[in-house]
Amino acid sequence: MKQQRGHKARLYLTPAQQVAADEQGHAARTMWNLIHSWWTMLPKDRRNLAAADAAIRQGRKDLPWLAELPAQASQQVLKTYFRAWVNCWEGRADAPNFKSRFRSRMAIDIPQGRDLQIVRLNRRWGRMWAPKIGYVLFRWTKDLPVGKRADKLNKVTGGRLVKDADGWHVVFRVQREIPEPQPHTGPAVGIDRGITKPLAFSDGTFREHGPWLIEGETKRLRRLEQASARKRHARRKNEPASNRLRRTYDQIAQLRAKAKRRAVDWQHRTTAEAAETFSRIGVEDLAITNMVKSARGTVENPGTRVRQKAGLNRAIATEAWGRTVTLLEYKAAQRGGQVVKVPAPNTSRRCSACGFITPGNRETQARFVCKADSCGYAVNADTNAARNIDHAAGLAVSGRRAGADRQAEKRQPPTRPHAA
């Protein structure tokens, strides 16, 4: 089975390489904006990839600074832009738009894996080639199919340089040939995602974490945010941000990026452990986008408890529930398991012991007590919800198998020939 994955590693650029990478990143963003202007300005019957390719070639001749971006990277910008329109036409994304200088992430594509010339120098360091930048060192944290380990089925097919808040990174596209996973024989589990308890399992256990920033980092972040607020207040209307304000923004972004890296690391480790242990993992099919909408309302109908809802929205966004399910899905598939999404209504109000549903079952936010006369079941509210999710996932899987069996019976040939 062919497996395609991405591997991200940090780059260590010299000052000259840093300048060259920034120039290419700005050129790639400008190339996107020029293609967008050209595409939206022309009539629909004249929009095609061949004409866009000719426009790019002419632009590289007329604007020398645009030629700082390698030719293959320029062609990849066009392919990515056209792919964005295809995603829009098929309803998977919004229409592409201009990329702002300060609100978009710089990226440089290296489409061909052979151009990277990856070499492992020692246990901790590797070296790669970036066009018009030179040989660049990166941290070797995962074995890559390069050198004698590479073949037609196992290789690095390309890469992309991306600039985050803490510097430049490279994302390798890695293709491997792996055996088909055997069916997982472990137990089933339901997982309830929350805020007080990030992950509650139906077996009564929890997966929790502390704050992503230590106390000193949290205080420093608060001071930087207060400083940025003062500098923004002192700036005149329509006046560009000062260098000090931008430096403060960069420091804030670095701290938030550090918190995100720690959160993603915790999610990777937790979801990998769950995929290794359980064969079927049930989760709620949540409409997270609708859950984090603002409660501000309109001028005619203003919302209530807006600040409390904003705090709840930030907490949900910090936990990144959608990313947890995405990691679970591909990790479980690699190990022969499956992730089953079940409807969310009543998972928190239904008693997992007797099935009785009433809003009064939740005594507090963390405590569930069944109000049925013959039950009285008491347990942590998140554990009760996880058990309901596990039960619903089992019914969903059995229903699918029953439907598949009925379809198989319909396809079976008759046991006796039809009468003439």
Side-chain angles (χ1 to χ4, degrees), residues 349 351 356-363 367-371:
R349 299 190 297 172
C351 176
F356 182 69
I357 301 175
T358 180
N361 281 346
R362 295 285 293 265
E363 280 195 342
R367 189 67 176 170
F368 180 93
V369 178
C370 182
K371 300 301 181 182

Side-chain angles (χ1 to χ4, degrees), residues 8-13 17-26 105-109 133 136-138 160-171:
K8 187 176 181 180
R10 184 167 185 175
L11 295 177
Y12 289 82
L13 306 176
Q17 291 175 336
Q18 177 80 31
V19 172
D22 289 346
E23 290 178 351
Q24 289 191 23
H26 288 304
R105 185 173 68 167
M106 289 196 290
I108 309 165
D109 281 296
I133 297 177
V136 181
L137 296 177
F138 66 91
R160 169 178 282 193
L161 308 184
V162 295
K163 188 176 184 180
D164 294 334
D166 53 345
W168 282 94
H169 295 74
V170 59
V171 181

